[in-house]
Amino acid sequence: MRVYVPLTLSGLAEAHRAGELGTGPLVAYAVTPALREWYLSDDIEELEYAALNRAALASLRLLAADPAGVRRRVVVAADIPDGAAVADPDRGLDPAALGEVRLAGPLPLAKAAAVHVDSADAEADVRAAVEALAAADGGDDDAQYVVDGAEDHELLWYATQEIPNLV
C-alpha cells in the first residue's frame, strides 16, 4: 500500500537524522474507500494523485504551525504492508479527513519510495496560503482561493537518495 506522509523541510531533516518518520501514531494519506467514493474514479494513478494532494494540504497545515519553517510543502511517499495503515471509520466521509489514515508506529525512512517537494518558485504562494489558511477554514471564499493557489504548483519528485541535498 502506498501512503503519503505530510511533512515540512525541517521535519524531513529530522526524519533523515533519525532514520524514521514520526514516533506514532503517524497521520498519512492513502487511497481509502472514502477517497474512491469522493473522487469517483477507478484509475489508481488519479486516486494516488488525489491522496498526494490531500497530504500536500496537510503539509500546508504543518507549515502554519511552524512559523520559522521554509515555505515549501513536503510529502514522503512510502510503501507499507496492506493493513499497516488504518482509516478512522468515524471520520470516513468527513471531507476534511478524506484519504486520511494512521500508522501505529514510526515509519522507517527506508520504506520511502520518493519525496515530493515544492520548488523555490512556489514559496511566495505557499506563504500566502499558510497566512490565509485560518480564514479559509472559517469559510472565507477569497482566502480559500489563495489556499487553492498553492495547489497550482506541482510538487517536484525526488529520489530518496536526494534527501540529503533537500535538507
Side-chain angles (χ1 to χ4, degrees):
M1 166 183 239
R2 170 83 33 115
V3 295
Y4 299 90
V5 181
L7 288 175
T8 62
L9 280 174
S10 60
L12 183 60
E14 177 58 33
H16 178 63
R17 280 191 295 279
E20 62 187 18
L21 300 168
T23 57
L26 186 63
V27 174
Y29 293 81
V31 177
T32 62
L35 185 73
R36 283 180 187 275
E37 185 176 324
W38 171 75
Y39 201 75
L40 298 174
S41 176
D42 289 331
D43 186 329
I44 192 64
E45 288 183 11
E46 287 180 16
L47 291 165
E48 286 182 347
Y49 185 72
L52 171 66
N53 283 331
R54 301 294 296 172
L57 178 59
S59 175
L60 198 63
R61 294 187 180 287
L62 293 173
L63 286 170
D66 182 10
V70 176
R71 296 315 194 209
R72 293 189 195 180
R73 298 167 299 163
V74 177
V75 176
V76 173
D79 293 317
I80 62 169
D82 288 343
V86 179
D88 183 345
D90 295 331
R91 295 190 64 200
L93 296 177
D94 177 357
L98 286 172
E100 186 178 289
V101 295
R102 299 210 184 268
L103 307 171
L107 178 65
L109 199 52
K111 298 278 186 187
V115 180
H116 302 272
V117 182
D118 274 314
S119 70
D121 295 347
E123 284 187 34
D125 287 339
V126 170
R127 182 177 297 105
V130 166
E131 292 170 4
L133 198 54
D137 286 346
D140 183 323
D141 290 336
D142 292 334
Q144 186 62 52
Y145 180 78
V146 173
V147 171
D148 291 344
E151 292 181 13
D152 291 341
H153 296 276
E154 292 289 328
L155 297 175
L156 302 177
W157 182 93
Y158 293 91
T160 56
Q161 298 87 338
E162 297 176 274
I163 291 174
N165 296 330
L166 291 169
V167 299

